[in-house]
Amino acid sequence: MRIPVHKNSPVVLRAMKSFKLNTGGGITLDFDSFQLSNTYDTVVDIEEFRFFVTPNPLNAVKYSANNGLWTQFDFGALFSVKIGSTKVPITEEFVHLRSLAEPKQWNLNCNYDLSASQIPYNSTFYSWKLRKPMSMRPGDGIRASAQLDPSVLWPVDPSLVNPDYDPPGPVFTGVDVWICAIGKLRDEPLADALEYPWAMEWNPVIQPLGGSTSVVRAYAATGENQFRNRRPSDMRVQRLVASLYARFTPTDANAPGATYSLPIDVLNYLTAAVDATLGDSMGYAIAAARTPLAALVDPRSGTWAFETNLKYDEQFPAEVFANPIPAALFPAGANVDIQPTLFPHLAIIGSQMVGVPR
Amino acid sequence: MADDKTDNHNVIPIRISAPKRATGPSPLIQAMRSEMAPTSLRVARPGPATRAPMGVTVHGRPTSSRLVAPSQIITPGQEVAPVPMPAGSRWGVPGAAPLHAPLADYDDGVPIFQWATAGELAPQDDAPVSNAALINPGDYPVMIEEVRFNLSSERPFVNPGTLGVKLDLGPFPITNDFAHLFAIDGVENIFLGESNPSFTPLVSDGDALQSVATFRWRPPGGIYLPPRGVVTSQFTHFGLNSNGVIADLSYSGKQLSMPAQRRETSVPFVVTFQTSGVNYFGFDFRPGHLRFKTQVQSSTEQQLWNSLRESVNIKRLTGRLLFFNGNEQFYSDENYQLLDQCIYVRLRTSRGYKILKDYAPFRLVFGRDTRCFETDFWLDPGEYVIADLKFTPGNLAGSTANNGAALPTAVTVAPVIGMMGHRSVEL
């Protein structure tokens, strides 16, 4: 029986996957595509993607209370998603949730300003509001996968990977990852070409070089395919998103609560840790000099919003340079003789034009 | 597909002029290549005067006069320049405009601010706000852009969840019965405290005042207040605790520079629904000890419903979590994630249409950033939305921290769901 819909009826699609953290990183799970399909008899316009990552059970995050400097962390640095519609990829490979999220929610995602006295419940929420609605015809759907980082920032703490570590007890540690697409039923015919969202990310890893007094700079650069438009159409670039994560070596690796890594966006804290350059395929320098990453983007939002095109096969070559971090900025328990491994996450968010098959 | 009733709701598409086929890239692609803006827009068919961001379809009733200044009226068929869209702006996205965006159509006009108090409300009390203080004193209409509710108490915690408000614009109700202040509007950037902090403890040096809360509401499209018009308001104390609460109401907006010629206008409409409190305290969530039973509460047909004679364009669904404990202390859902994975919601309408077919976490649907999601659908008179709320052990199950080790004092939760929209009325 056909259900009489309301004009512009809202649509909420959602799916969830559970990850078990103690099996290690590198796991990829596919969301149930049926739950993210357009089962209506008309076009659905998706206006926003939402992601929700929450520990299950609650003990999974108890460890962070042991972390003396940062009491919260950002699941968006650990989990990435690969999204596409039935016919059109939306992300190039996996993109971290933190990079997709609305820039204004920096504080919200990281829960950075919660006091240590509060019990940390690290469920985190991310919202990616699309600049133009993504139209899905009847029968089309969203194909999405979530990935727990294979190596970056992993493992983070013994209490996460060892269920008997802290707290003791027969518990497993897991995380539920939800994806949600919100929009409405469309009551107008589709245009010949549609604007679809698009995102890609570059995740260099900068290895440590010496102690806190070292002047040697570590370096990484985009490869052949990173930040390159491999789609048949132009990409409209709308914003550059950057975040920074760090892994310190603890003085005593066996100490309870030793800080192995900081899966928190420390761009605001380690403001001079990473410089970056950005150019385009024509040799034009978008950011020529080594610019602190914290200056290239708005440090509060981690975003630089701009408008430009990235044509087919063009690339935004980028470089990142690590600067020595002063010992005073090391977290408690970290070995100041070893510089941290740095994980800058750089992403380009935009849109693409796709034709509508008739 | 819309049925006959909903077809009556006029849609005024602003479309890019029809392209000639096979003569190059589509207009959209051309637009993207040239500053992201089409060269012209055309009002596709006669309809109410309106102004909209580029590429946005404006929905209105056939007889509605949209809220625009005379200089911004577009006649049918008239070519108009596209509205520039600044870099990074989300203004061109239907349903994704900032919650508390300014009303660009009313940039002119003298600001106006009116304030009145209902005094202190004891539990179960109702108290009106003085109309005389809120009346539009001028000879020109006022466009109210923001309504603000200020609450204060001699107790440490005051929460908008303790009070409800009933609002009317002359003969036109804005709320159906008392609406929870908590759920009238969404929030924006709550961690930065930019709007709607549920409570702001005020450190006092022995004075009686212990806590204050400011709660603001920016109705989409504003509220048109004719000369000598008034928004009548009345507060109620739901009696969830024994604290007296002082309630003030104020509004701010612009005195329009055009005379009152309007015969129709848009009036907001708000309804809210709160479940009874579900107690999460006192349960042992350790493996093998779980005694908490999953339960479901649903709204009725006359809670999230259109009680009016006109169809209502629903613009926003809000969802807040009200926490409280046995010590008469309230906790807001901001900074609070304890039960994020325990409460699920499902939504459907009286037509059987399922907005949200399967249960999803409350905090996912009513996102943690805004506590709401934007909509643009119509409810005809008598139609309603049913919200099913499922309370589960969630990620507390299996937790080794039992009975207070993991649970702080705020362990009873009462979700509140609000539905906000507007309709067209004849003045």
Side-chain angles (χ1 to χ4, degrees):
Chain A
M1 184 184 70
R2 184 180 176 186
I3 295 175
V5 300
H6 306 259
K7 186 175 181 60
N8 295 328
S9 291
V11 172
V12 183
L13 309 172
R14 100 289 185 268
M16 185 272 282
K17 278 295 175 186
S18 289
F19 287 81
K20 291 186 177 180
L21 301 185
N22 53 6
T23 55
I27 303 169
T28 298
L29 297 177
D30 297 332
F31 292 101
D32 182 350
S33 58
F34 179 75
Q35 292 181 328
L36 298 173
S37 293
N38 176 7
T39 57
Y40 304 92
D41 57 2
T42 186
V43 174
V44 169
D45 278 350
I46 299 300
E47 297 169 342
E48 179 182 355
F49 284 108
R50 289 178 172 182
F51 307 96
F52 191 61
V53 187
T54 185
N56 191 9
L58 209 53
N59 308 55
V61 293
K62 183 174 172 57
Y63 76 97
S64 59
N66 297 327
N67 186 327
L69 184 56
W70 287 281
T71 60
Q72 300 284 310
F73 81 4
D74 183 2
F75 273 125
L78 294 181
F79 287 95
S80 52
V81 288
K82 184 177 179 180
I83 307 175
S85 75
T86 303
K87 299 179 180 63
V88 181
I90 295 174
T91 65
E92 297 279 353
E93 298 304 323
F94 286 90
V95 178
H96 285 91
L97 301 180
R98 171 65 181 81
S99 298
L100 293 174
E102 276 289 289
K104 69 173 184 177
Q105 295 157 20
W106 187 88
N107 279 42
L108 187 63
N109 292 337
C110 301
N111 297 326
Y112 197 70
D113 53 357
L114 297 185
S115 72
S117 61
Q118 290 183 272
I119 297 176
Y121 304 107
N122 279 298
S123 57
T124 40
F125 173 85
Y126 307 88
S127 165
W128 182 19
K129 287 189 172 65
L130 307 183
R131 178 154 163 166
K132 292 284 178 63
M134 188 186 87
S135 298
M136 291 199 308
R137 298 194 303 175
D140 284 357
I142 297 165
R143 291 179 301 189
S145 307
Q147 185 182 66
L148 181 61
D149 264 17
S151 59
V152 176
L153 302 170
W154 194 260
V156 294
D157 191 287
S159 64
L160 270 177
V161 294
N162 180 359
D164 297 323
Y165 179 78
D166 181 24
V171 298
F172 73 93
T173 52
V175 171
D176 292 346
V177 180
W178 290 81
I179 181 174
C180 178
I182 293 182
K184 61 174 180 282
L185 300 185
R186 184 186 185 92
D187 59 355
E188 292 179 336
L190 291 176
D192 290 341
L194 298 173
E195 188 174 338
Y196 265 43
W198 162 76
M200 61 181 175
E201 192 179 48
W202 177 43
N203 299 310
V205 178
I206 309 178
Q207 297 296 337
L209 288 174
S212 59
T213 57
S214 169
V215 294
V216 178
R217 292 181 175 183
Y219 165 85
T222 48
E224 175 67 19
N225 293 320
Q226 288 148 341
F227 280 174
R228 182 180 292 277
N229 177 10
R230 292 293 191 187
R231 305 287 171 82
S233 68
D234 289 2
M235 298 293 180
R236 188 68 184 171
V237 177
Q238 287 151 6
R239 64 179 188 258
L240 172 75
V241 181
S243 53
L244 176 64
Y245 304 87
R247 179 188 294 160
F248 291 86
T249 302
T251 306
D252 179 3
N254 296 316
T259 303
Y260 280 74
S261 72
L262 294 175
I264 289 178
D265 186 356
V266 292
L267 195 61
N268 258 359
Y269 185 75
L270 304 177
T271 53
V274 173
D275 297 338
T277 67
L278 188 65
D280 70 6
S281 297
M282 308 301 289
Y284 176 71
I286 298 174
R290 289 177 178 175
T291 309
L293 202 54
L296 188 62
V297 296
D298 176 346
R300 194 176 88 165
S301 64
T303 297
W304 177 24
F306 60 93
E307 296 278 348
T308 189
N309 281 340
L310 187 62
K311 292 184 168 54
Y312 171 70
D313 205 31
E314 284 188 346
Q315 185 185 25
F316 285 148
E319 303 167 305
V320 287
F321 307 85
N323 297 318
I325 295 173
L329 294 180
F330 277 56
N335 187 343
V336 296
D337 294 326
I338 304 174
Q339 284 286 312
T341 305
L342 297 173
F343 305 92
H345 291 178
L346 286 88
I348 293 175
I349 312 296
S351 57
Q352 56 184 319
M353 299 303 295
V354 298
V356 178
R358 300 293 179 184
Chain B
M1 293 297 160
D3 62 8
D4 290 340
K5 285 183 179 180
T6 54
D7 276 342
N8 290 332
H9 304 305
N10 193 15
V11 176
I12 312 144
I14 294 182
R15 296 198 178 100
I16 298 167
S17 303
K20 293 179 180 177
R21 308 287 296 179
T23 55
S26 75
L28 280 173
I29 292 180
Q30 291 179 30
M32 289 188 68
R33 290 175 178 171
S34 59
E35 306 301 327
M36 285 298 290
T39 54
S40 68
L41 302 173
R42 179 184 293 275
V43 177
R45 71 180 192 190
T50 186
R51 178 185 186 220
M54 177 186 66
V56 174
T57 299
V58 180
H59 305 282
R61 304 300 307 278
T63 56
S64 167
S65 62
R66 299 282 297 182
L67 310 178
V68 294
S71 62
Q72 293 158 341
I73 290 176
I74 303 167
T75 56
Q78 176 187 352
E79 297 283 342
V80 295
V83 179
M85 194 159 53
S89 168
R90 292 188 290 115
W91 277 84
V93 185
L99 276 181
H100 297 146
L103 300 174
D105 287 344
Y106 299 96
D107 285 343
D108 58 339
V110 180
I112 184 171
F113 187 94
Q114 300 278 66
W115 174 91
T117 182
E120 181 165 356
L121 285 83
Q124 311 292 352
D125 263 2
D126 294 346
V129 177
S130 166
N131 282 347
L134 293 175
I135 200 166
N136 174 7
D139 295 328
Y140 289 89
V142 163
M143 183 56 67
I144 298 175
E145 296 173 336
E146 177 175 306
V147 179
R148 198 176 301 166
F149 307 99
N150 288 319
L151 310 180
S152 54
S153 173
E154 296 180 2
R155 299 294 296 268
F157 295 95
V158 60
N159 191 296
T162 60
L163 293 191
V165 68
K166 186 188 288 183
L167 300 171
D168 296 285
L169 178 64
F172 309 114
I174 295 176
T175 62
N176 174 38
D177 205 351
F178 287 100
H180 289 73
L181 295 184
F182 212 36
I184 288 181
D185 206 352
V187 300
E188 186 168 7
N189 238 350
I190 52 175
F191 275 87
L192 299 180
E194 289 178 0
S195 70
N196 293 348
S198 281
F199 64 86
T200 306
L202 189 67
V203 179
S204 64
D205 53 355
D207 294 338
L209 189 61
Q210 289 290 315
S211 58
V212 296
T214 298
F215 208 71
R216 69 187 189 189
W217 174 39
R218 291 192 175 179
I223 302 175
Y224 179 85
L225 193 60
R228 308 298 167 188
V230 65
V231 174
T232 56
S233 53
Q234 187 177 11
F235 286 97
T236 190
H237 191 308
F238 289 125
L240 294 174
N241 63 5
S242 60
N243 296 347
V245 178
I246 300 169
D248 303 341
L249 182 146
S250 60
Y251 69 75
S252 59
K254 298 274 179 61
Q255 299 183 65
L256 304 184
S257 55
M258 54 186 175
Q261 297 175 333
R262 181 165 295 172
R263 300 202 177 277
E264 298 173 45
T265 190
S266 165
V267 177
F269 183 65
V270 176
V271 289
T272 61
F273 153 69
Q274 179 191 314
T275 72
S276 58
V278 174
N279 183 19
Y280 273 83
F281 184 68
F283 294 96
D284 187 340
F285 290 101
R286 287 176 299 178
H289 294 74
L290 188 66
R291 295 192 303 272
F292 183 89
K293 299 296 183 189
T294 295
Q295 55 180 287
V296 175
Q297 294 189 33
S298 300
S299 60
T300 69
E301 297 175 356
Q302 293 191 343
Q303 283 174 323
L304 296 173
W305 74 308
N306 176 5
S307 59
L308 306 172
R309 286 177 296 180
E310 309 93 21
S311 296
V312 176
N313 185 199
I314 304 299
K315 304 299 287 186
R316 191 170 293 157
L317 292 170
T318 62
R320 309 296 298 271
L321 297 176
L322 173 62
F323 296 96
F324 50 95
N325 67 6
N327 297 324
E328 299 190 338
Q329 290 181 335
F330 286 75
Y331 294 82
S332 74
D333 53 353
E334 291 147 18
N335 290 336
Y336 218 108
Q337 306 162 41
L338 170 64
L339 301 177
D340 269 353
Q341 187 68 315
C342 298
I343 302 169
Y344 294 79
V345 64
R346 190 173 64 179
L347 299 165
R348 66 183 191 275
T349 73
S350 47
R351 298 189 192 182
Y353 175 78
K354 293 171 181 172
I355 297 174
L356 176 53
K357 186 169 57 176
D358 302 309
Y359 281 107
F362 192 86
R363 273 286 157 264
L364 174 69
V365 178
F366 304 107
R368 282 246 309 273
D369 55 344
T370 61
R371 305 298 200 243
C372 70
F373 74 92
E374 308 288 321
T375 63
D376 191 23
F377 70 108
W378 289 83
L379 279 185
D380 288 337
E383 290 190 328
Y384 53 86
V385 169
I386 294 290
D388 299 318
L389 288 140
K390 185 162 72 171
F391 300 85
T392 74
N395 57 353
L396 294 175
S399 169
T400 55
N402 66 326
N403 275 5
L407 300 180
T409 51
V411 289
T412 296
V413 60
V416 185
I417 292 178
M419 192 166 71
M420 178 177 64
H422 57 81
R423 82 282 196 185
S424 177
V425 300
E426 292 186 9
L427 293 175

